[in-house]
Amino acid sequence: MPKLSKKLTIANAKVDKAKLYPISEAIKLAKETSITKFDSTVEIAFNLNVDPRHADQQIRGALVLPGGTGKSQKVLVLTKTKVKEAEEAKAEFVGAEELIQKIAKENWFDFDVIVATPEMMAELGKIGKVLGPKGLMPNPKTGTVTLDVKKAVEEIKKGKVEYRTDKEGNIHSILGKVSFKEEDLIKNYQALFEVIKKAKPAAVKGTYIKNISVTTTMGPGIKILMEN
């Protein structure tokens, strides 16, 4: 077992692993236990009582975090009909089949998000096996397959995040950066908590959200008390 660094040992000692912290305390503690020299990302994990093998229990969506993400997103827009709108929204890359070919032939991934208009989806489907594992395949549920390209790009730039259940029924998301004000991180948490709570599948009985934890890059996990 690798030896823990002195910084991480001290950070771990500040966290009671058996305690559920109110969100305000958890955020404050997460900031205090950040051990990196750079501005760490604050992340949230929801462990849900769902079975993602069933389509009706796969939870997926997107929302604009009210406090932003602190992360600059490079956007690729694939379109033939909305080029002007994409450029006006300041998408980093705008094009059509030629950019799909660049991804396929050159393994080009100098972007974070793809927004596509519907007419491009047949072509995009040809490289679905490449985009899928990277979480880059556009999807109507997350607003990345749309005719309103300008709105989609602007929302991404403002701090839009996607969320989806993994194979174990967990949802991981960014909450922001350690440098954020505590109130902005709390607002982001509350916004994400509400959309996930409302997405409870009808098939799920009993406890839906089993536990929630917050952490920073390389920092200790802190369990959150669900207050509503």
Side-chain angles (χ1 to χ4, degrees), residues 3-225:
K3 186 178 179 180
L4 297 180
S5 69
K6 185 177 179 180
K7 282 185 178 180
L8 184 54
T9 300
I10 294 171
N12 282 336
K14 293 181 179 180
V15 179
D16 183 346
K17 298 295 184 182
K19 180 178 178 179
L20 298 177
Y21 292 86
I23 184 58
S24 57
E25 289 183 32
I27 292 298
K28 184 177 180 180
L29 190 54
K31 288 166 71 72
E32 288 177 2
T33 55
S34 175
I35 62 172
T36 60
K37 292 181 179 179
F38 56 86
D39 190 10
S40 291
T41 298
V42 182
E43 300 174 352
I44 191 87
F46 294 81
N47 179 231
L48 307 179
N49 177 28
V50 298
D51 186 349
R53 293 176 297 176
H54 300 290
D56 63 342
Q57 294 186 48
Q58 293 172 2
I59 297 166
R60 183 173 188 179
L63 80 158
V64 177
L65 294 178
T69 64
K71 182 180 178 182
S72 178
Q73 299 269 66
K74 287 185 180 180
V75 183
L76 163 62
V77 176
L78 295 171
T79 182
K80 294 178 181 177
T81 57
K82 301 288 182 176
V83 173
K84 184 180 179 182
E85 289 93 327
E87 291 173 345
E88 287 176 349
K90 296 183 170 56
E92 278 74 14
F93 308 101
V94 184
E97 287 92 347
E98 74 280 4
L99 293 183
I100 295 175
Q101 288 299 312
K102 186 174 182 179
I103 294 169
K105 294 180 179 179
E106 300 177 23
N107 200 34
W108 175 66
F109 291 101
D110 190 23
F111 50 86
D112 301 297
V113 184
I114 300 177
V115 173
T117 44
E119 83 275 4
M120 297 304 303
M121 292 309 294
E123 286 298 314
L124 260 180
K126 296 175 183 178
I127 58 170
K129 289 182 179 180
V130 176
L131 298 178
K134 294 179 179 292
L136 289 170
M137 193 67 183
N139 189 296
K141 289 184 179 180
T142 60
T144 47
V145 178
T146 178
L147 287 171
D148 196 345
V149 166
K150 191 171 186 290
K151 179 184 177 183
V153 175
E154 287 175 346
E155 285 185 343
I156 292 167
K157 297 289 185 182
K158 286 177 183 175
K160 187 175 184 178
V161 295
E162 295 185 15
Y163 58 88
R164 64 185 299 179
T165 44
D166 61 20
K167 292 179 181 179
E168 285 74 43
N170 301 311
I171 289 178
H172 298 270
S173 178
I174 293 172
L175 275 190
K177 294 287 186 178
V178 168
S179 60
F180 278 24
K181 293 179 180 178
E182 289 176 22
E183 53 263 40
D184 287 332
L185 290 169
I186 292 170
K187 281 193 297 185
N188 286 350
Y189 164 78
Q190 290 170 337
L192 194 55
F193 177 81
E194 286 301 319
V195 296
I196 291 175
K197 184 173 73 170
K198 289 177 183 176
K200 179 181 179 180
V204 173
K205 306 302 178 185
T207 301
Y208 166 49
I209 302 176
K210 294 196 287 187
N211 57 68
I212 309 171
S213 61
V214 65
T215 187
T216 59
T217 308
M218 296 170 63
I222 301 161
K223 293 180 181 178
I224 294 175
L225 174 68

